[in-house]
Amino acid sequence: MRKTADLVLPAAAGFVMLLALYMVFVVVPTDSAQGIVQRIFYFHVPLAIMSFLAFGTVAVASVMFLWRGGRTWDRLAHVAAEVGLVFCSLVLITGPIWAKPIWGTWWTWDARLTTTLILWLIYAGYLMLRTVVGPTEQGARYAAVVGIVGAIDIPIIHRSVYWWRTIHPAVLVTREGGTGLVDPTMRATLAVCFLAFLLLFVWLVWVREQSVRLADTMERLRLETLGQS
């Protein structure tokens, strides 16, 4: 199964990503209000959703680790946090690139932007904590608590454009309850982009998890060798 996944996941992610790029830059119509810069939306939104998925995975895996124990859940939480931080960093990069020509500024302390930055800081701190405490059981438990608490920010980010006055648009579901994607091609393109980044997320987690699993095995063998000598 692992060999099959090693072949299928990167091939599927690469194919769908190429299809997504084609649809974004060739197929989908240019937005009449924002112009060509709006095309970054098709990367920015899926990246944000994948960040939420990654950090949600951290929280679930951390709960399972505290409940059931075992290195498998702890390893999944650690790996998902690493991948999630990469995606969240890209969200914080693509957002200002989109905002500058539309809002006239790279950054504003808008509710959604601020809460997203807080999410990034929480899980950056999570990874720093894991580095400081090392691969210890107690350290893993401390990190699990941070991973669970940090996920509380995800629904806050999602609802921020509805709870507070904000200049950040609500595109998928507008404040009036409709959708900002009136063109079917736009919705189809966004769906393909979601699938592309989902496959990329799964592949990155898969590859990184195998890497950490191998490191765990090598460390266990090293300790067994030292114990026998």
Side-chain angles (χ1 to χ4, degrees), residues 5-50:
D6 288 338
L7 294 174
V8 171
L9 282 176
F15 173 77
V16 180
M17 186 63 73
L18 289 174
L19 177 60
L21 291 172
Y22 175 76
M23 294 187 71
V24 169
F25 293 109
V26 178
V27 176
V28 73
T30 301
D31 184 80
S32 58
Q34 299 185 24
I36 195 170
V37 71
Q38 186 268 347
R39 294 177 190 272
I40 203 169
F41 161 84
Y42 299 103
F43 303 103
H44 181 70
V45 173
L47 284 168
I49 300 300
M50 291 308 109

Side-chain angles (χ1 to χ4, degrees), residues 7-223:
L7 294 174
V8 171
L9 282 176
F15 173 77
V16 180
M17 186 63 73
L18 289 174
L19 177 60
L21 291 172
Y22 175 76
M23 294 187 71
V24 169
F25 293 109
V26 178
V27 176
V28 73
T30 301
D31 184 80
S32 58
Q34 299 185 24
I36 195 170
V37 71
Q38 186 268 347
R39 294 177 190 272
I40 203 169
F41 161 84
Y42 299 103
F43 303 103
H44 181 70
V45 173
L47 284 168
I49 300 300
M50 291 308 109
S51 299
F52 297 161
L53 175 61
F55 296 139
T57 301
V58 176
V60 172
S62 296
V63 169
M64 294 301 297
F65 171 71
L66 293 177
W67 178 33
R68 303 290 295 273
R71 174 60 177 152
T72 299
W73 290 112
D74 180 51
R75 184 166 54 236
L76 176 60
H78 192 177
V79 168
E82 291 178 333
V83 177
L85 197 66
V86 172
F87 278 86
C88 194
S89 299
L90 292 173
V91 171
L92 292 172
I93 292 171
T94 55
I97 294 174
W98 186 11
K100 177 59 176 176
I102 304 302
W103 297 346
T105 181
W106 293 103
W107 181 268
T108 180
W109 293 101
D110 176 88
R112 175 159 284 185
L113 275 65
T114 303
T115 50
T116 302
L117 178 61
I118 291 172
L119 186 71
W120 187 93
L121 291 171
I122 290 172
Y123 285 97
Y126 170 94
L127 293 177
M128 291 176 63
L129 174 63
R130 300 205 66 128
T131 301
V132 171
V133 300
T136 63
E137 180 76 13
Q138 192 65 34
R141 292 186 175 276
Y142 289 148
V145 173
V146 175
I148 295 167
V149 174
I152 297 173
D153 193 31
I154 295 174
I156 296 175
I157 295 172
H158 174 64
R159 300 300 302 175
S160 61
V161 294
Y162 307 103
W163 290 345
W164 296 291
R165 293 175 61 87
T166 171
I167 62 174
H168 193 286
V171 179
L172 297 183
V173 179
T174 65
R175 294 174 180 85
E176 293 74 27
T179 178
L181 301 176
V182 295
D183 192 302
T185 308
M186 290 181 171
R187 294 194 292 270
T189 300
L190 182 61
V192 172
C193 289
F194 271 131
L195 179 58
F197 281 102
L198 175 61
L199 289 170
L200 178 62
F201 166 74
V202 173
W203 178 49
L204 290 175
V205 169
W206 175 263
V207 171
R208 181 60 181 143
E209 194 276 339
Q210 289 188 94
S211 174
V212 176
R213 183 193 297 269
L214 179 60
D216 287 348
T217 301
M218 293 176 64
E219 178 65 15
R220 185 174 65 253
L221 292 174
R222 186 185 71 85
L223 293 175

